[in-house]
Amino acid sequence: MNPARYRIELQGVLQGVGFRPFVYRLAQQLGLRGSVRNTGSGVIVEVEGPAESLQAFLARLEAERPPASVILARRIVELPAIGDEEFRIEPSQQEADKLAGLLPDLATCTDCLRELFDPSNRRYLYPFINCTQCGPRYTIIRAIPYDRPNTTMHEFRMCEDCSREYHDPADRRFHAQPVACPACGPQLNLPLEEAAECLRQGKIVALKGIGGFQLLVDARNEQAVARLRERKRRQAKPFALMMASLDQVRRYCYVSAEEEWVLQSPAAPIVLLRPKPGHDIAPAVTCGSPYLGVMLPYSPLHHLLMRAFPHPVVATSGNRSEEPIAIDNREALERLGDIADTFLMHDRPIARPCDDSVVRVSRGELVILRRARGYAPLPIWVGIDLPKVLAVGAHLKNTVAIAVGQQVVLSQHVGDLDTYESRLAFEKAIRDLCTLYDFEPELVVCDLHPDYYSTQWARSGPYPVVGVQHHRAHVAACAAENQLREAYLGV
């Protein structure tokens, strides 16, 4: 039987999830030859072999793909066979149009957690363990395609052991861009036990997380929480909590099966839950809110700290109210120096701030209230070709977006634009998206409200501007999110 050859062009969220190693192993199992490579648009696979094996390859490509991957578009072209002798992973290819979806930061997977607490593993208790299934993504990438030289990990030279894993197609860390170990990777500035002791003493700890600094304090200590509120100048809004385990969440809150799934998902967001009566969470945490906003540890550093201090902690953004979160060590020492009593920092740079996402479960469905870590910048696929539009969002709870091909790419939650610092963060979020995607807007869309800073920014720039009424924009966003094509009514 003469061999056939297919070229498979895939768009979606496919880089940084172990997709190329998965394709390589699948081709090897089926005895197929060809290649796979990342491009600015996604992934291209060329595969050659018997027609029956090629059909099995196509079916399993969808059914067995890595769980964090998302295929939004697929194009298959039949080509003449060229007689490849093996299957290869080829170097990434730069393209003029960058359409590849960027992956959000993902919570530590079960495989890495098992290694983290295994005394025989060389990454035992290493706070930056990761693999292709988990770890930082969006907050370390500086350019597409997602390869190590284009991330903040480029300055950490891999040791021989990490390099061997990184280049071995059979290894779980094959092309895991943040791969590192105690011998070659990022390091902490402080012993974890020292930070845990500060929490026991009621002190405020500034922890450098995945997407920026967090302020932590014992959530059971009313005086400590009140002191954090006073120093942070946050008078009324509830604080988010981090709890050590799902069992601990169940002790404090009513949790449905759907809410448990969301808490343990790769996004690991803050979930709004109903508290059980008689708990010992300090009243200053909620300020009268009927909910507790709860998340589980989502990075190795959080897992290690919560093992050393296994009690609920306030885990709020590392900023003063209405300001963006701090991401740089020196910046944090300056901006948070009169809030935190101690700093737990590391030397892995953060490319952009990304706060914790906030969600709730309503009628069994996930509703995202603040779209950030774990979800941003996943695209929303609309299925029609879009003009090159930059949408700059509203003045409160701001998020910006760009239209790329047939998808809308949303930034992380920026926040309210009342302060000078938050306006700088808004402008950086726009530059970030445009830079990552080599995006030059043809049109800028803003709110009709003339006093919004986002509106003023749009109208002061060089691009044509279209104003959209605020509530019409809300309804249109809901329609796009739910992929409505026919006429609809928004209330």
Side-chain angles (χ1 to χ4, degrees):
M1 182 183 296
N2 292 330
R5 186 179 184 89
Y6 289 152
R7 177 184 172 95
I8 307 162
E9 300 173 5
L10 302 170
Q11 287 184 29
V13 183
L14 301 165
Q15 299 183 15
V17 295
F19 195 84
R20 287 179 301 171
F22 156 70
V23 170
Y24 175 88
R25 288 191 290 268
L26 181 58
Q28 294 281 73
Q29 291 169 20
L30 294 170
L32 298 172
R33 304 169 301 282
S35 64
V36 59
R37 68 177 181 272
N38 281 345
T39 73
S41 301
V43 169
I44 292 179
V45 183
E46 291 201 10
V47 63
E48 180 176 313
E52 185 177 315
S53 298
L54 289 174
Q55 291 305 313
F57 179 85
L58 292 176
R60 292 177 62 183
L61 188 69
E62 176 62 39
E64 300 175 15
R65 61 181 171 80
S69 64
V70 179
I71 296 176
L72 296 175
R74 174 197 306 219
R75 178 171 176 264
I76 302 174
V77 180
E78 189 164 356
L79 303 171
I82 62 173
D84 273 330
E85 296 182 356
E86 60 180 0
F87 196 89
R88 308 173 303 282
I89 295 179
E90 295 187 339
S92 298
Q93 175 181 314
Q94 299 284 353
E95 288 183 354
D97 293 328
K98 294 187 176 181
L99 305 175
L102 297 178
L103 198 69
D105 305 294
L106 300 177
T108 312
C109 69
T110 52
D111 289 332
C112 283
L113 271 182
R114 186 173 58 251
E115 293 175 350
L116 181 65
F117 294 113
D118 177 4
S120 66
N121 192 278
R122 70 187 188 90
R123 293 185 176 90
Y124 176 56
L125 302 184
Y126 181 57
F128 305 99
I129 190 172
N130 66 84
C131 69
T132 50
Q133 304 171 58
C134 67
R137 299 291 191 271
Y138 182 51
T139 53
I140 64 170
I141 190 171
R142 286 182 167 143
I144 296 176
Y146 176 66
D147 288 322
R148 192 173 179 107
N150 292 335
T151 73
T152 63
M153 285 296 297
H154 77 280
E155 60 196 64
F156 295 95
R157 185 181 178 85
M158 284 184 280
C159 66
E160 287 186 12
D161 289 331
C162 286
S163 181
R164 183 170 57 251
E165 294 169 332
Y166 181 86
H167 291 99
D168 180 1
D171 196 280
R172 195 174 91 251
R173 293 185 170 89
F174 179 62
H175 281 250
Q177 307 307 338
V179 67
C181 75
C184 65
Q187 302 293 327
L188 294 177
N189 71 316
L190 190 74
L192 274 162
E193 186 50 51
E194 192 172 323
E197 181 57 31
C198 288
L199 292 173
R200 281 190 282 272
Q201 294 174 12
K203 294 181 178 180
I204 299 167
V205 176
L207 176 145
K208 186 180 184 182
I210 296 288
F213 277 79
Q214 295 171 309
L215 295 167
L216 310 182
V217 74
D218 185 349
R220 306 164 302 165
N221 187 327
E222 174 74 7
Q223 289 183 327
V225 176
R227 188 165 59 252
L228 173 59
R229 220 171 249 296
E230 179 184 357
R231 292 182 184 179
K232 189 175 160 70
R233 301 175 193 168
R234 181 168 174 162
Q235 300 306 315
K237 292 181 181 178
F239 281 139
L241 300 174
M242 181 172 286
M243 295 192 181
S245 65
L246 189 56
D247 285 340
Q248 190 172 87
V249 178
R250 292 191 189 110
R251 289 201 297 273
Y252 282 91
C253 304
Y254 299 104
V255 194
S256 69
E258 292 85 359
E259 288 164 339
E260 288 188 6
W261 182 88
V262 175
L263 283 165
Q264 298 178 96
S265 70
I270 298 167
V271 183
L272 298 188
L273 301 172
R274 289 279 184 181
K276 291 181 176 178
H279 62 72
D280 60 353
I281 299 296
V285 168
T286 59
C287 282
S289 169
Y291 298 101
L292 291 177
V294 179
M295 59 184 153
L296 292 174
Y298 55 82
S299 76
L301 180 55
H302 287 113
H303 280 284
L304 292 168
L305 183 61
M306 295 301 286
R307 189 176 81 152
F309 185 82
H311 308 288
V313 296
V314 167
T316 189
S317 307
N319 59 1
R320 283 194 179 83
S321 286
E322 313 309 330
E323 291 184 2
I325 56 176
I327 62 172
D328 178 75
N329 291 351
R330 183 176 298 177
E331 170 202 12
L333 290 169
E334 292 174 359
R335 289 177 50 205
L336 308 178
D338 57 354
I339 300 178
D341 298 305
T342 193
F343 287 79
L344 181 56
M345 303 187 293
H346 57 77
D347 55 353
R348 182 176 65 201
I350 297 173
R352 64 191 52 80
C354 199
D355 219 330
D356 296 313
S357 293
V358 181
V359 308
R360 66 179 300 179
V361 175
S362 177
R363 299 184 180 183
E365 295 292 325
L366 178 70
V367 179
I368 300 177
L369 304 179
R370 183 169 77 188
R371 196 174 190 272
R373 179 191 52 77
Y375 298 105
L378 288 175
I380 293 175
W381 187 261
V382 295
I384 56 173
D385 289 324
L386 299 169
K388 290 188 173 182
V389 173
L390 164 66
V392 296
H395 186 81
L396 302 178
K397 298 179 173 61
N398 177 272
T399 301
V400 301
I402 59 174
V404 181
Q406 296 191 348
Q407 61 194 21
V408 177
V409 180
L410 279 75
S411 77
Q412 70 276 27
H413 167 84
V414 177
D416 299 349
L417 303 183
D418 289 325
T419 65
Y420 173 72
E421 292 82 4
S422 64
R423 293 175 181 185
L424 291 180
F426 159 79
E427 293 172 12
K428 184 179 186 303
I430 293 172
R431 288 196 305 273
D432 253 0
L433 279 186
C434 293
T435 300
L436 285 172
Y437 285 90
D438 282 347
F439 182 83
E440 182 74 20
E442 297 171 352
L443 187 71
V444 176
V445 177
C446 66
D447 199 286
L448 283 178
H449 199 306
D451 294 335
Y452 282 3
Y453 179 74
S454 52
T455 300
Q456 295 170 358
W457 183 91
R459 296 199 180 279
S460 68
Y463 305 106
V465 175
V466 172
V468 177
Q469 199 277 333
H470 187 88
H471 299 94
R472 178 182 288 269
H474 273 305
V475 173
C478 289
E481 242 182 332
N482 290 281
Q483 299 185 330
L484 295 183
R485 294 288 180 268
E486 64 278 6
Y488 55 85
L489 173 67
V491 179

